[in-house]
Amino acid sequence: MASVPVYCLCRLPYDVTRFMIECDICQDWFHGSCVGVEEDKAAEIDLYHCPNCQVTHGPSVMRKRRGGNKQTDGAAARARDPSRPVKTGSSQFVRELRSRTFPGADEVLLKPSGAQLTVEFLEEHSFSVPVMVLRRDGLGMTLPPASFSVSDVEHYIGSDKQIDVIDVSRQCDLKMRLGDFVEYYNSPNRDKVLNVISLEFSETRLSNLVETPKIVRKLSWVENLWPEESVFERPNVQKYCLMGVKDSYTDFHIDFGGTSVWYHVLRGEKIFYLISPTAANLALFERWSSSSNQNEMFFGDQVDMCYKCSLKQGNTMFIPTGWIHAVLTPVDCLAFGGNFLHSLNIDMQLRAYEIEKRLSTADLFRFPNFETVCWYVGKHLLDTFRGLRENRRHPATYLVHGAKALNNAFRIWTRKEALADHEVEIPETINTQTLVKDLAKEIRLVEVSIGSSNGAGRAGKYKHLAMEGSSLSDLESEDELQIDETPPPRRLPRKLPRAKPCSDPNRIREPGEVDFDIEEDYTTDEEALAAHGVKGGAGGILDLLKASKQVAGLDSATLSEEAPASPSTRDAIQGMLSMANPPSSSSSSSSSSPLSISGGLTEGLGVVKEKGGRAVWVTGGVKKTPEKKPVIQRPGKRPIKRPARHLSDEDSPDEQETLGTCFKDSDYVYPSLESDEEDRANKAKMKRKKNWDDTPWSPKARVMPTLPKQDRPAREGARVAAVETGLAAAAAKLAQQVSWETKLLLILFLL
């Protein structure tokens, strides 16, 4: 077994948490604490000589400063060399920044009270601008008292805690013990400006004294959606302690992963310079961040508007996703804050994450396990959409938009050429392909459902998802295979979904759920037909007369064709007239004779076969036919036809051939036993139609298998008696009822 390499004078293994420096002579590594070199001083060393090499090569060589060792005033130096740019973070830079004038952030800030800052408030304003709360009352936030100091921070976290510190004048990072920084902070003489902005303390005793604002806990993905059983390390970015001395400055940046951030100033003051994340500003920011002279350019001068906002003691600020901001500390300050991802602006979070990747930001300064969090959120959104759909509720529009952006990111991360770079952050419990497919399906259903609700009550706009399916019983009464090239009919919904404010005061609304119930609108059939262009109402009797075109005493020219009756109306009048009026045998040869009304009786009844409608000719009595559903003519489309399994009277086999095998009671009224030559010719023609051997094949045809009809045995002696009894009863009944039934029918239509 190989031994572990050791370093330094202490001969200990490498420890990533301890600062080490390399000797330029022997090229061995030493702990800074073992050789007396502080990390913040190491940058001033040009050539380092370890204690052993100092014996032969002398002491370490320090870097030379321009203008000698004596520190000169920045203003004087600039006066000697006006062309020299001011470095970001330098004392001259801070002085100039303090003297400049910026537009006030009151133009964009929202200033609700702590109690007003709710999920509904942020949803209404889309959390697209910064929010400032002047007093912490109502925020549901727990903080130490105002007397809390950096020494107390050291007490609760520990002096030996290694922390990241920013050297403001050089805008670089270095490592220090918390105890050493607190000693520097409390010293009256500071030779440098040091700033601490990344001390996360969730796993320390200080965490017990600080509770994040309630709105953050309710929105945070990590707080609500990170599973306890996850094999990935939970991102700890919720609680930071910020300790900055006077003139500390943090240059313009977007918080990692496009996170939103909350700040509360416990002691001192912070000044924020805020820039809106427009597409142009983001492009400028990316170009500025990748430039070689970034520390010589103030980014606020490159955009159209940079706002200034002072956050004083006791104030709390919430900066939304993607906002570009810099921070100046005018006096010594102790503040608390935290970062959080949420669903209010998923698209912007993903855009900020992509900018980080293009800028090759170090992993240390990126949101830990960002993509893993997104996968957990994608699974949550899928479950949310399914649950809302089952309860007939809609997700908020911003949530649908965010889900689409997230699903697009999933597709990019799981492409074959990119999977190797992203699969390390994919949870093993998630099937990526299934999740992407199912989430896309739910998004489409939501968009169709929202479109249907918005279009309810408008003709041609309502989209009905459920279609009438076929059942096995529909296939049991056919003689042979039937090919139907017409689409199955769609039923008009009687109840259209409408949105209304939720009336249940006890229901708890989740973030992202629209506060609306789907109301059942009990729309009548007439209103539904009217919405689809089918006429009805008071003019119904005129439609009936137009459909028949057989009104005695009226000239057919008076029935204008400018407003023809609907197909459903024509079907209704033809069926009713054919059932209520006995035709004479003399009229059977004509199918277009006008209808004459004399003394309330109808004579010479003939039924016209018209375009869009169909009529049945009945002779010798009243023929009972199954009730036919109306055919709805929709603008710009073919009329919806009945499937082939519902054969029309003209296409169906002769019913006289099958009626004889069934027992009929005395109330059944048989059709006439007489049949003229035309009837027999029509029967032969209908039987020939059944031969569909030459029907061309269509790929869209619906082929439905059928079973042949089987004759059932008739009871001996029952048929003749039933027929005779039925004919006698029919003759007597028709003689008494025809006239008043016809009158009553017309009166009802007039009403």
Side-chain angles (χ1 to χ4, degrees):
M1 181 177 179
S3 59
V4 178
V6 294
Y7 303 92
C8 192
L9 301 174
C10 60
R11 312 312 296 168
L12 292 177
Y14 174 70
D15 184 356
V16 68
T17 63
R18 299 183 63 183
F19 164 71
M20 300 188 73
I21 188 171
E22 182 186 26
C23 177
D24 291 297
I25 303 299
C26 65
Q27 296 183 345
D28 198 0
W29 287 87
F30 301 87
H31 295 115
S33 58
C34 294
V35 294
V37 178
E38 297 181 5
E39 184 176 358
D40 58 326
K41 302 286 187 180
E44 301 176 2
I45 301 176
D46 189 18
L47 295 174
Y48 173 69
H49 299 166
C50 68
N52 295 331
C53 294
Q54 286 182 9
V55 178
T56 56
H57 294 80
S60 300
V61 179
M62 308 301 290
R63 295 182 184 273
K64 294 183 178 180
R65 301 186 181 185
R66 294 182 180 180
N69 293 331
K70 183 178 179 180
Q71 295 184 358
T72 58
D73 182 77
R78 183 170 177 80
R80 292 192 301 268
D81 188 5
S83 62
R84 178 183 174 184
V86 177
K87 298 290 184 179
T88 300
S90 64
S91 57
Q92 177 66 21
F93 171 86
V94 173
R95 279 193 295 269
E96 291 186 3
L97 183 62
R98 284 174 175 270
S99 63
R100 294 186 54 174
T101 302
F102 295 88
D106 289 340
E107 299 180 21
V108 294
L109 278 179
L110 294 176
K111 294 185 177 181
S113 65
Q116 291 174 332
L117 186 59
T118 61
V119 174
E120 291 78 11
F121 179 89
L122 293 181
E123 285 178 334
E124 179 182 354
H125 297 87
S126 71
F127 196 21
S128 57
V129 296
V131 177
M132 177 184 285
V133 180
L134 299 180
R135 301 183 60 179
R136 73 184 196 185
D137 298 339
L139 285 175
M141 178 172 56
T142 302
L143 291 170
S147 59
F148 197 78
S149 66
V150 293
S151 298
D152 295 317
V153 174
E154 178 186 7
H155 170 73
Y156 282 97
I157 295 180
S159 300
D160 294 332
K161 171 72 173 179
Q162 289 286 327
I163 62 175
D164 294 304
V165 180
I166 297 177
D167 186 337
V168 175
S169 61
R170 294 190 293 126
Q171 289 291 291
C172 65
D173 299 313
L174 52 91
K175 292 274 188 182
M176 287 185 67
R177 291 174 60 252
L178 177 57
D180 294 337
F181 176 80
V182 172
E183 182 180 354
Y184 154 83
Y185 190 97
N186 292 327
S187 173
N189 300 318
R190 302 165 181 163
D191 56 349
K192 292 183 178 181
V193 178
L194 302 180
N195 191 21
V196 174
I197 62 173
S198 56
L199 175 55
E200 217 285 336
F201 59 89
S202 294
E203 302 296 329
T204 69
R205 292 190 302 135
L206 181 58
S207 180
N208 299 327
L209 303 181
V210 178
E211 185 65 86
T212 60
K214 182 179 179 180
I215 187 66
V216 174
R217 300 196 303 271
K218 194 162 187 178
L219 292 176
S220 172
W221 281 357
V222 175
E223 291 280 349
N224 297 283
L225 302 178
W226 187 270
E228 295 293 336
E229 66 277 7
S230 176
V231 297
F232 295 90
E233 183 179 0
R234 176 187 173 95
N236 286 326
V237 295
Q238 292 85 4
K239 298 179 180 180
Y240 285 95
C241 180
L242 300 95
M243 299 175 289
V245 300
K246 178 183 178 181
D247 293 340
S248 294
Y249 175 77
T250 304
D251 208 0
F252 287 97
H253 64 282
I254 298 175
D255 279 272
F256 47 46
T259 53
S260 300
V261 61
W262 67 275
Y263 287 98
H264 177 85
V265 175
L266 188 69
R267 299 175 62 182
E269 181 183 356
K270 292 277 188 182
I271 298 177
F272 288 84
Y273 301 91
L274 305 167
I275 298 175
S276 175
T278 63
N281 289 343
L282 289 176
L284 290 171
F285 172 78
E286 189 171 353
R287 186 177 66 179
W288 171 78
S289 299
S290 58
S291 61
S292 59
N293 59 341
Q294 175 187 1
N295 63 345
E296 297 176 355
M297 297 184 294
F298 183 70
F299 181 67
D301 294 334
Q302 301 184 20
V303 297
D304 57 345
M305 195 67 67
C306 179
Y307 302 99
K308 179 180 179 181
C309 177
S310 295
L311 195 66
K312 300 185 180 299
Q313 181 170 324
N315 296 162
T316 307
M317 175 177 282
F318 298 84
I319 301 179
T321 301
W323 274 72
I324 308 164
H325 58 282
V327 186
L328 174 66
T329 306
V331 295
D332 290 358
C333 180
L334 175 61
F336 292 97
N339 297 72
F340 59 102
L341 294 169
H342 55 81
S343 299
L344 294 175
N345 205 335
I346 298 176
D347 185 26
M348 183 60 71
Q349 291 173 172
L350 293 170
R351 291 173 65 184
Y353 177 68
E354 293 300 322
I355 290 176
E356 287 179 355
K357 292 199 298 182
R358 289 195 295 269
L359 293 175
S360 300
T361 305
D363 292 340
L364 179 64
F365 305 107
R366 295 168 66 172
F367 191 96
N369 295 325
F370 176 85
E371 293 184 14
T372 304
V373 178
C374 290
W375 284 110
Y376 289 137
V377 173
K379 180 64 170 60
H380 170 74
L381 290 178
L382 176 61
D383 296 338
T384 300
F385 283 16
R386 283 175 173 172
L388 292 176
R389 177 166 55 83
E390 291 173 359
N391 293 321
R392 304 187 66 190
R393 298 180 63 79
H394 295 157
T397 302
Y398 74 82
L399 202 60
V400 179
H401 180 74
K404 293 176 68 175
L406 192 60
N407 215 29
N408 289 335
F410 290 161
R411 290 191 177 96
I412 296 174
W413 297 344
T414 54
R415 287 177 181 171
K416 184 177 180 180
E417 62 273 14
L419 184 59
D421 297 330
H422 299 276
E423 62 182 350
V424 67
E425 290 196 48
I426 300 176
E428 295 181 357
T429 57
I430 292 180
N431 186 321
T432 58
Q433 294 182 352
T434 301
L435 175 59
V436 171
K437 179 180 177 181
D438 292 347
L439 185 56
K441 177 183 176 181
E442 290 298 326
I443 292 171
R444 288 195 300 270
L445 290 175
V446 168
E447 291 177 336
V448 171
S449 178
I450 293 177
S452 299
S453 297
N454 293 339
R458 299 184 220 163
K461 297 295 183 181
Y462 185 80
K463 299 179 180 179
H464 189 50
L465 297 179
M467 296 180 63
E468 188 179 21
S470 301
S471 61
L472 182 61
S473 61
D474 295 331
L475 306 177
E476 297 178 353
S477 60
E478 300 293 333
D479 291 332
E480 57 185 330
L481 293 179
Q482 304 290 337
I483 299 178
D484 182 15
E485 298 186 8
T486 61
R490 298 190 182 188
R491 293 181 179 177
L492 292 177
R494 287 182 58 89
K495 302 174 182 179
L496 307 181
R498 301 260 179 96
K500 69 180 180 104
C502 180
S503 57
D504 185 0
N506 298 320
R507 185 180 61 78
I508 300 176
R509 194 186 68 81
E510 296 298 328
E513 178 186 347
V514 173
D515 199 13
F516 285 90
D517 290 329
I518 300 302
E519 180 184 15
E520 300 273 314
D521 179 22
Y522 293 88
T523 307
T524 63
D525 288 341
E526 291 76 9
E527 294 171 344
L529 292 174
H532 288 74
V534 179
K535 295 183 179 181
I541 185 60
L542 183 57
D543 288 342
L544 295 175
L545 296 177
K546 289 181 180 180
S548 66
K549 296 184 180 179
Q550 300 175 20
V551 181
L554 294 178
D555 187 0
S556 60
T558 61
L559 302 177
S560 173
E561 291 296 332
E562 295 179 357
S566 64
S568 59
T569 305
R570 290 196 293 266
D571 281 349
I573 182 60
Q574 302 299 355
M576 294 177 185
L577 292 179
S578 63
M579 294 176 61
N581 299 280
S584 63
S585 59
S586 62
S587 63
S588 61
S589 61
S590 174
S591 62
S592 60
S593 59
L595 175 66
S596 61
I597 301 177
S598 177
L601 297 177
T602 304
E603 298 178 359
L605 175 61
V607 181
V608 182
K609 180 177 180 180
E610 303 179 31
K611 182 178 180 181
R614 177 176 53 79
V616 180
W617 185 269
V618 183
T619 61
V622 179
K623 180 177 180 180
K624 294 185 178 180
T625 59
E627 181 181 357
K628 300 183 291 299
K629 294 184 179 180
V631 179
I632 299 175
Q633 180 70 39
R634 299 184 179 179
K637 296 185 179 180
R638 294 185 303 172
I640 296 178
K641 301 178 182 178
R642 299 299 301 171
R645 60 178 180 270
H646 300 291
L647 298 178
S648 65
D649 291 348
E650 294 179 351
D651 297 334
S652 61
D654 184 13
E655 296 189 10
Q656 291 286 1
E657 298 176 359
T658 58
L659 287 176
T661 60
C662 303
F663 172 77
K664 306 298 179 182
D665 57 25
S666 59
D667 292 334
Y668 185 86
V669 180
Y670 278 84
S672 173
L673 298 180
E674 300 178 359
S675 177
D676 55 14
E677 293 297 326
E678 182 178 354
D679 291 338
R680 286 193 293 272
N682 290 337
K683 294 175 184 177
K685 182 178 180 181
M686 287 185 290
K687 291 182 179 179
R688 286 196 301 271
K689 285 185 178 180
K690 294 171 57 178
N691 187 5
W692 289 349
D693 295 340
D694 295 334
T695 302
W697 178 82
S698 171
K700 298 182 180 179
R702 295 193 296 115
V703 180
M704 298 176 293
T706 61
L707 299 177
K709 292 183 178 180
Q710 298 180 359
D711 294 337
R712 292 181 291 178
R715 291 185 295 172
E716 296 295 336
R719 177 179 179 183
V720 175
V723 170
E724 293 176 352
T725 304
L727 290 177
K733 185 181 298 185
L734 288 175
Q736 299 176 2
Q737 296 181 356
V738 165
S739 62
W740 69 265
E741 285 184 352
T742 304
K743 294 179 180 179
L744 180 61
L745 182 63
L746 293 176
I747 292 173
L748 291 176
F749 283 143
L750 290 172
L751 294 176

